[in-house]
């Protein structure tokens, strides 16, 4: 049991170190994937499109850097900026969303990439604290498992 806990502890430790060391590559990868999701955005039940809509609605953002990122997509030529960018769903018409100058007043201006990364960085201290707490419990479990193993070994020799 102690060996299993030690293995899990080492895996978590390695994952944390790798995440910290490659954090810039993770950001770059996220930005390129978000750009791809915008480029391939459509109204069908595609999970990438749903993810973009969810991010835009939840964080009140639009596009990668700003709302004008949508102007370079095929979706924009057909339908304009998606409704998930609208500040108010009642005040957004399809004509407004097709016109970038009118859309500027009706959609969120901030880009999603900066909001997602700042949200992740602000929550990083909570994640680090929880990880440290779990690691402490794992270490206590390892120590207690080793003590129990030693106690059982010592008692077997005394009984014989």
């Amino acid at each position: 049991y102690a060996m299993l806990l030690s293995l899990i502890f080492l895996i978590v430790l390695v994952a944390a170190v790798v995440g910290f060391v490659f954090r810039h590559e993770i950001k770059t990868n996220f930005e390129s994937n978000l750009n791809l999701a915008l480029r391939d955005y459509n109204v069908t039940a595609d999970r990438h499109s749903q993810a973009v809509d969810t991010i835009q609605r939840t964080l009140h953002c639009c596009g990668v850097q700003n709302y004008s990122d949508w102007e370079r997509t095929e979706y924009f030529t057909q339908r304009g900026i998606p409704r998930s960018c609208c500040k108010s769903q009642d005040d957004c018409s399809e004509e407004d969303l097709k016109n970038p100058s009118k859309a500027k007043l009706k959609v969120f201006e901030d880009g999603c990439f900066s909001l997602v990364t700042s949200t992740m960085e602000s929550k990083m201290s909570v994640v680090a604290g929880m990880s440290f707490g779990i690691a402490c419990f794992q270490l206590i479990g390892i120590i207690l498992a080793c003590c129990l193993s030693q106690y059982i070994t010592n008692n077997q020799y005394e009984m014989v």
Side-chain angles (χ1 to χ4, degrees), residues 13-50:
L13 183 67
V14 167
V17 169
V18 167
F20 181 75
V21 170
F22 293 110
R23 66 186 180 278
H24 298 295
E25 287 82 0
I26 292 170
K27 280 184 182 180
T28 305
N29 195 8
F30 174 71
E31 184 177 18
S32 65
N33 283 331
L34 192 55
N35 277 317
L36 283 172
L38 254 66
R39 189 192 72 203
D40 297 337
Y41 184 87
N42 56 24
V43 284
T44 60
D46 180 9
R47 61 187 173 109
H48 297 286
S49 301
Q50 290 175 352

Side-chain angles (χ1 to χ4, degrees), residues 107-148:
V107 299
F108 303 115
E109 293 186 37
D110 297 329
C112 293
F113 176 71
S114 60
L115 286 175
V116 167
T117 55
S118 65
T119 301
M120 285 181 6
E121 288 171 357
S122 69
K123 305 293 184 206
M124 204 53 76
S125 60
V126 173
V127 171
M130 290 177 61
S131 299
F132 181 72
I134 291 170
C136 287
F137 279 116
Q138 282 182 319
L139 287 175
I140 291 170
I142 292 168
I143 292 168
L144 290 176
C146 289
C147 290
L148 180 61

Side-chain angles (χ1 to χ4, degrees), residues 146-160:
C146 289
C147 290
L148 180 61
S149 173
Q150 186 68 32
Y151 178 75
I152 290 171
T153 303
N154 287 342
N155 279 343
Q156 280 183 343
Y157 287 120
E158 289 177 12
M159 296 168 104
V160 174

